Amino acid sequence: MKLKPLALGIALGLVWGGSLFITTWLSYYTGYGRLFLEVLAQSIYPGYAISPLGSFLGLFYGFLDGFVSAWLIAVIYNKISIK
C-alpha cells in the first residue's frame, strides 16, 4: 500500500499545528502545559512565546514542522515498501 505524502503531510500538519495553537491558549489562560511549551516549543521555534501572537506562530511552525515530517516519512516509506 502506498501512502499519499501530501495528504499525510496536511493531516499531521493540522494536528500538530492545532495542538500547539490550543495548548498555547490553554497555557496562556490557565497555565496548563506551560513547562511543555517552554521547554519544547520555545527552544525549537524562533519567536514563539506563550501569548496570543505566539499561538499563531505555533500554528504556523507546527503545521510546517508536521507537514514536512509526515511528507518525508511517506516518501521514505513508499521508497522502501514492498510493492
Side-chain angles (χ1 to χ4, degrees):
M1 177 178 86
K2 294 275 188 182
L3 297 176
K4 295 179 181 177
L6 182 63
L8 188 62
I10 291 172
L12 189 65
L14 288 174
V15 168
W16 183 237
S19 296
L20 280 175
F21 182 81
I22 291 168
T23 307
T24 302
W25 279 101
L26 282 172
S27 181
Y28 183 70
Y29 284 110
T30 67
Y32 174 79
R34 180 169 293 278
L35 182 61
F36 166 75
L37 293 173
E38 287 172 349
V39 171
L40 178 73
Q42 287 180 345
S43 65
I44 295 174
Y45 306 128
Y48 174 81
I50 300 171
S51 66
L53 178 60
S55 69
F56 290 100
L57 277 173
L59 178 65
F60 172 74
Y61 283 136
F63 178 81
L64 190 63
D65 190 16
F67 179 85
V68 170
S69 299
W71 185 85
L72 282 172
I73 289 168
V75 168
I76 292 169
Y77 175 84
N78 287 340
K79 294 285 185 193
I80 65 172
S81 68
I82 298 173
K83 296 178 180 178

